[in-house]
Amino acid sequence: MIKVCLADNYPVVHFGVKSYFKDHAEISIVANVGNFLMVRDILLTKDIDVLILDLELEGLSSIFEVKNVLKNFPKTKIIIFSGLSEQIYAPNAIKAGVSGFIHKKEKLETLGISIIKVHQGKIIMNETVKKNLALIAKQSKSERLYRKLSNREVEVLRYLSDGKKNHEIAEILSLNEKTISTYKLRLLTKLNVTNLVDLVNKAKTLEIV
């Protein structure tokens, strides 16, 4: 039996996934967590074969944290199960070492098939992701800069590109305005620009937004 842990923010997702796999012949959902801090505790106390992880999980701020989980728990495979864009996030996740990226619009049957495949050592990605990975390999160093951005930084950058002010973004994301200013400063530094106009133009050039 493949032992699975589901890490997701929403109880309805936990209920749906657990219900679907309740009588599955090969897959057992043995743990459910609602924030990233709990992931390590579960992996330390339970023998987890596959971790189903949402990139928007509370407490998860960067793909590098996912990479650290893989490093510290090499026997556990990770499948990203998220509503975020495959085109933007999947290549980065695959390069970090996850075994698959399944969009939440897919049927749970697809998730089940993927769990079995990654447990067998396979990597799950669609043709679009494969093409993006090939394209990334050909890009210059500057074009790869956005791969260093955290999920939250990409989110803030998108709102900035939409013309929203710091206080508006803070309200949308339920963060304080100072935190948004910090994210903005990080974005300027990481994308090597000095003002908002250049930041937005750089983001558009790199097709981040």
Side-chain angles (χ1 to χ4, degrees), residues 65-189:
E65 292 181 294
V66 178
K67 195 171 184 177
N68 284 334
V69 170
L70 289 164
K71 179 181 178 181
N72 294 325
F73 303 93
K75 293 182 179 180
T76 300
K77 308 290 185 182
I78 294 180
I79 293 177
I80 301 301
F81 186 51
S82 177
L84 294 172
S85 168
E86 280 184 276
Q87 184 173 355
I88 294 175
Y89 292 93
N92 203 22
I94 296 295
K95 288 184 70 177
V98 307
S99 297
F101 190 110
I102 306 298
H103 197 278
K104 284 186 174 179
K105 67 183 178 183
E106 297 289 345
K107 296 179 180 179
L108 288 178
E109 179 184 2
T110 300
L111 179 61
I113 293 171
S114 299
I115 290 172
I116 294 171
K117 286 185 176 180
V118 301
H119 185 247
Q120 295 170 343
K122 298 177 182 178
I123 304 296
I124 305 299
M125 69 177 95
N126 61 32
E127 289 303 316
T128 300
V129 174
K130 289 180 182 178
K131 289 178 181 178
N132 283 350
L133 284 170
L135 181 62
I136 291 168
K138 297 177 182 179
Q139 290 176 336
S140 66
K141 184 177 180 180
S142 63
E143 289 175 315
R144 296 177 191 168
L145 282 175
Y146 83 93
R147 299 294 170 186
K148 297 181 180 179
L149 303 185
S150 71
N151 299 321
R152 182 66 84 185
E153 286 166 349
V154 171
E155 197 170 24
V156 170
L157 181 53
R158 283 175 171 168
Y159 286 124
L160 288 171
S161 298
D162 286 339
K164 287 183 170 53
K165 305 299 183 183
N166 286 11
H167 69 89
E168 294 176 309
I169 301 173
E171 185 176 349
I172 293 170
L173 300 179
S174 299
L175 299 171
N176 62 55
E177 192 171 345
K178 185 177 180 180
T179 300
I180 300 303
S181 296
T182 299
Y183 279 123
K184 185 176 176 180
L185 180 60
R186 289 179 187 172
L187 287 165
L188 290 169
T189 302

